[in-house]
Amino acid sequence: MSEMGQLDRPPARAEGDSARDPLVEAINVHKSFHRHHVLKGIDLVVHPGEVVCLLGPSGSGKTTFLRCINMLENLDGGRIFVDGELMGLEETAPGRLRHLGDQQKAAQRREIGMVFQRFNLFPHKTALENIIEAPMQVKRVSKAQAVAEAEQLLDQVGLADKPHHYPSQLSGGQQQRVAIARALAMKPKLMLFDEPTSALDPELVGEVLRVMRELAEQGTTMIVVTHEIAFARDVADRVVFMDDGVVVEEGPAREVINNPRQERTRQFLQRVLEEGPAAS
Ligand SMILES: Nc1ncnc2c1ncn2[C@@H]1O[C@H](COP(=O)(O)OP(=O)(O)O)[C@@H](O)[C@H]1O
Ligand SMILES: [Mg+2]
């Protein structure tokens, strides 16, 4: 547990303005791997109900940033607040911070659902068993309640008829929809998606994006790393374009995608649109 130095406080907020408080506030986030400076001062604010798409070339730090938000990586500098809570750090004395222990981090992480490029389902559990695992083990929800909620979630992702299928008996798109249901089962405040359709055959991408679009319409707060430009344009409220560990450009989704201001954004979008998401 290393000391983190001086505490930067988040900007003071007006009393009674809680509806406008950000759900996520990342301030000057830095992360290095050995001497490789991967995140070079990322700032991001996401309000409740907002959908933010994170675009950028391979290696620009998108995955690392998501992993910092849910504390799979310790920050080297900066702060991340989720729902007002400082993530992964505690104040040991006024202005002195240190990294939380694994158990405390796990408790904070429960509030955040994450969906990965690879579906990461438990292979020896059925779809239903995958979904009820965390609510029962972590939240001590009764089996009857966990099953009832899981059935509802399977219905929501269009898999009401597959509760007893094992991952190997499901297509990639179906497995990814189970993974989304599994994340939702913990009733997270925030959903993180890391290229959720990149590992899928092209004909299976649409069914996963459809589920994500419905989640967005229901008001789920989402940060989505994706190369699906049409999804970002149509579903995201805001697009953030990252390159080489910095935010190059951000703004309303349609504005950034239809009319990028920065040359780097323009080149990236052109390349993705020409080559298709799989080639980016
Ligand atoms: N655990 C790690 N150890 C060392 N280098 C890493 C690690 N994770 C990521 N990197 C490096 O950080 C950079 C950004 O990676 P990543 O966040 O995965 O980018 P993106 O998701 O935008 O493709 C890459 O150069 C990658 O090799
Ligand atoms: Mg990545």
Side-chain angles (χ1 to χ4, degrees):
M1 291 208 212
S2 57
E3 294 286 335
M4 286 289 293
Q6 290 298 308
L7 174 64
D8 302 325
R9 295 198 181 279
R13 299 179 185 111
E15 198 78 30
D17 199 22
S18 62
R20 296 184 54 80
D21 282 353
L23 184 69
V24 181
E25 191 171 19
I27 303 165
N28 196 24
V29 170
H30 285 263
K31 177 69 188 174
S32 296
F33 293 107
H34 307 287
R35 289 155 84 187
H36 184 185
H37 198 176
V38 172
L39 299 180
K40 303 171 182 171
I42 302 285
D43 294 309
L44 180 72
V45 170
V46 182
H47 287 95
E50 231 186 343
V51 177
V52 173
C53 278
L54 208 52
L55 310 182
S58 180
S60 54
K62 307 179 298 296
T63 294
T64 302
F65 182 57
L66 290 191
R67 289 172 59 85
C68 285
I69 294 176
N70 80 349
M71 296 163 291
L72 294 170
E73 305 288 352
N74 283 330
L75 311 193
D76 296 321
R79 309 285 176 255
I80 296 176
F81 295 84
V82 174
D83 206 14
E85 196 173 331
L86 179 60
M87 301 304 281
L89 297 166
E90 65 182 343
E91 205 171 3
T92 52
R96 300 296 298 178
L97 294 178
R98 73 169 174 207
H99 294 293
L100 292 178
D102 288 344
Q103 273 194 339
Q104 292 164 296
K105 278 198 253 183
Q108 288 186 328
R109 197 177 292 131
R110 269 174 227 163
E111 308 288 336
I112 301 175
M114 183 145 179
V115 176
F116 302 88
Q117 185 171 344
R118 301 261 159 213
F119 327 122
N120 292 320
L121 296 174
F122 302 116
H124 303 300
K125 289 183 189 288
T126 64
L128 188 88
E129 287 165 353
N130 264 281
I131 298 170
I132 64 175
E133 168 85 9
M136 287 178 61
Q137 297 301 321
V138 179
K139 283 194 168 171
R140 303 282 165 206
V141 171
S142 73
K143 181 161 187 184
Q145 192 188 333
V147 168
E149 288 175 1
E151 285 171 343
Q152 203 186 338
L153 285 166
L154 280 169
D155 188 38
Q156 187 181 337
V157 301
L159 293 170
D161 56 340
K162 304 239 177 331
H164 305 305
H165 282 57
Y166 288 89
S168 62
Q169 301 170 314
L170 297 170
S171 73
Q174 291 169 336
Q175 289 181 56
Q176 194 60 304
R177 286 185 281 145
V178 173
I180 293 171
R182 185 177 60 174
L184 292 172
M186 291 294 281
K187 301 185 171 71
K189 291 174 180 166
L190 169 70
M191 284 287 286
L192 306 176
F193 292 86
D194 192 4
E195 299 200 38
T197 60
S198 293
L200 296 177
D201 291 334
E203 73 272 19
L204 303 178
V205 167
E207 64 193 56
V208 173
L209 294 181
R210 203 149 45 237
V211 166
M212 292 168 60
R213 181 188 290 258
E214 282 167 14
L215 280 180
E217 283 165 1
Q218 289 159 13
T220 311
T221 311
M222 298 162 53
I223 303 177
V224 182
V225 174
T226 185
H227 293 303
E228 296 290 340
I229 303 299
F231 175 87
R233 185 191 56 217
D234 297 342
V235 178
D237 297 294
R238 210 143 39 84
V239 158
V240 174
F241 176 70
M242 270 176 73
D243 195 7
D244 199 20
V246 299
V247 172
V248 171
E249 175 164 9
E250 73 170 295
R254 279 177 184 279
E255 222 169 280
V256 172
I257 289 170
N258 295 340
N259 194 16
R261 285 197 219 127
Q262 301 295 327
E263 186 55 32
R264 275 197 277 180
T265 317
R266 208 170 294 151
Q267 282 174 5
F268 171 79
L269 290 171
Q270 194 173 358
R271 191 157 47 84
V272 174
L273 291 171
E274 273 169 14
E275 298 173 7
S280 54

